[in-house]
Amino acid sequence: MSIELRQVSKQFGEVAAVDNVSFTVREGELIGLLGPSGGGKTTVLRMIAGLELPTAGDVLIGGQRMNEVAVQHRNIGFVFQGYALFKTMSVADNIAFGLRIRKWSAADSARRVEELLKLFSLDGLQRRYPHQLSGGQRQRVAIARALAPRPAVLLLDEPFGAVDAKVRQELREWLVKLHHELNVTTLFVTHDQEEALEVSNRIVIFSRGRLEQIGTPREVYEQPANEFVARFIGVMNLLELQVKEGVAQHHELRFPAHGAAEGTTLRIGFRPYAVQVSSNPLELRYRARVRHVYFLGVMLRVEMETPSGLVIRARVSKEDFARQGIGEHHEVSFQIRSYRILARDGDSLAPEVSTEHTVPGYDAGI
């Protein structure tokens, strides 16, 4: 079932927790609500669920305005951050709780619980209690309970925040697989960028109650709408340059001014993968000294410092790193393949300016 927010705001006293937010979730999508603490994402989730009422604007589910519709009549499954399982109930009874509230027959309830135990790989655990389960198992029970009454929408608030890194990775993969099988419209709140990028069909990014950008994982990573998104999603080199004599310049780095007036400040961002590094300090355009190397598995992130003190982060494959023999404190050279001009937070740029730009004179064959 589709979900739509139309100019929704939520005030808590003088604080605007959500400020004029509009977006649409298509039926069957898996959407990540991403942002820092206090960004408004959980408040948005709670307004969709009916646990909070909008101060202004409309919440629509399946095309129907839901502002005055009670929680129990919205056909929504909600999973809280701390699982909220009933400690004195077994796994089977926890899963069946919503079915009893809705007065399902004992036979239908038993069949549904059995179906979910198999689907969620909880076979043999139906008689256990929450304290006898691992964190990952408790989370699966919580989601099974939410899905038991066959809701049209599933809402998850920080679903994997209470488990360790290995279990969290397993649960991410499991959630994607489950979504493919059930095709239930799903929204989940997270502050983990990697989690949102890995799991979501699209990501809605919030900051200070405002919607900053909505797009696919690739779009928000490669085409950030503004400086906040660029900083928040992944690692981004960010520069503030002054336009002088038709060139945007920051110490030794120079970029085209793209028609900006003399004296204008441009904000430029480029990902580490857009930086090419050579162990030969004379081969490429700019000089630098390696400050630190971060091992990331198949890739390494190289942190360099230019003679003016500017820190640049590059990404180098493990094979290229070994071939070139790059090491900490080595003198190297680098060049920037491509970059984006970024809007300040809350601003926007013309499409022709905000697209990715290739550095003039860059030779991809170097």
Side-chain angles (χ1 to χ4, degrees), residues 56 131 152 344:
H131 73 273
R344 293 180 182 273

Side-chain angles (χ1 to χ4, degrees), residues 41-348:
K41 53 194 185 298
T42 294
T43 302
V44 166
L45 201 75
R46 290 174 64 85
M47 285 191 288
I48 294 170
L51 299 172
E52 299 284 355
L53 298 178
T55 306
D58 295 319
V59 176
L60 293 88
I61 299 177
Q64 300 297 312
R65 185 175 183 272
M66 306 298 285
N67 291 37
E68 285 78 38
V69 177
V71 178
Q72 60 268 31
H73 300 307
R74 294 196 182 197
N75 195 21
I76 282 176
F78 199 107
V79 179
F80 296 93
Q81 183 175 356
Y83 313 135
L85 298 177
F86 299 107
K87 297 179 181 179
T88 58
M89 289 186 183
S90 67
V91 167
D93 288 340
N94 263 286
I95 294 173
F97 179 78
L99 305 180
R100 288 200 297 272
I101 295 296
R102 290 165 177 78
K103 302 187 185 306
W104 282 41
S105 71
D108 287 344
S109 179
R111 278 193 293 270
R112 180 60 173 161
V113 169
E114 185 65 26
E115 176 186 348
L116 290 167
L117 287 168
K118 291 179 180 177
L119 179 64
F120 284 65
S121 300
L122 295 168
D123 313 65
L125 302 179
Q126 57 265 40
R127 296 182 185 276
R128 292 193 185 180
Y129 290 86
H131 73 273
Q132 298 173 309
L133 304 175
S134 68
Q137 289 168 339
R138 288 196 294 270
Q139 186 59 277
R140 280 184 278 148
V141 172
I143 296 175
R145 182 180 62 183
L147 286 171
R150 303 186 191 279
V153 173
L154 177 63
L155 306 178
L156 309 169
D157 187 8
E158 297 277 6
F160 312 135
V163 295
D164 62 40
K166 185 176 186 303
V167 175
R168 189 159 59 243
Q169 179 62 45
E170 292 171 354
L171 285 172
R172 288 177 192 169
E173 296 170 1
W174 171 81
L175 179 61
V176 172
K177 181 172 180 269
L178 178 72
H179 183 261
H180 286 324
E181 292 178 5
L182 300 181
N183 200 37
V184 175
T185 305
T186 303
L187 288 84
F188 72 99
V189 163
T190 183
H191 62 269
D192 186 323
Q193 299 95 323
E194 182 180 315
E195 187 167 279
L197 291 168
E198 186 174 337
V199 173
S200 311
N201 300 142
R202 289 190 299 153
I203 302 171
V204 187
I205 302 173
F206 292 94
S207 171
R208 294 172 294 181
R210 297 194 301 266
L211 193 160
E212 299 286 353
Q213 186 173 0
I214 180 168
T216 65
R218 184 168 185 173
E219 286 169 347
V220 299
Y221 185 84
E222 295 185 349
Q223 303 166 33
N226 54 37
E227 185 178 353
F228 170 80
V229 177
R231 286 183 182 276
F232 193 71
I233 301 290
V235 178
M236 175 74 87
N237 294 288
L238 292 164
L239 304 175
E240 190 169 276
L241 304 98
Q242 297 293 320
V243 176
K244 297 178 181 178
E245 299 179 357
V247 175
Q249 188 168 338
H250 184 92
H251 296 292
E252 57 265 72
L253 302 190
R254 296 164 63 87
F255 298 83
H258 297 281
E262 188 74 10
T264 300
T265 298
L266 286 183
R267 305 175 85 79
I268 283 178
F270 49 95
R271 298 288 184 191
Y273 64 74
V275 181
Q276 182 181 5
V277 182
S278 171
S279 57
N280 180 350
L282 301 177
E283 182 179 3
L284 303 178
R285 185 172 184 180
Y286 301 114
R287 311 286 174 264
R289 179 186 294 271
V290 176
R291 292 198 342 172
H292 193 71
V293 177
Y294 298 88
F295 179 74
L296 306 175
V298 296
M299 304 297 296
L300 296 97
R301 190 165 73 241
V302 178
E303 186 179 275
M304 307 173 291
E305 184 175 349
T306 69
S308 68
L310 184 64
V311 175
I312 300 293
R313 296 166 182 84
R315 193 175 70 181
V316 179
S317 70
K318 186 170 64 174
E319 292 76 17
D320 195 33
F321 183 84
R323 178 181 59 81
Q324 295 205 60
I326 299 171
E328 292 187 3
H329 311 300
H330 286 192
E331 297 289 340
V332 296
S333 60
F334 71 94
Q335 62 186 5
I336 299 160
R337 298 174 171 130
S338 59
Y339 61 94
R340 301 184 72 84
I341 298 176
L342 300 171
R344 293 180 182 273
D345 295 355
D347 292 341
S348 60

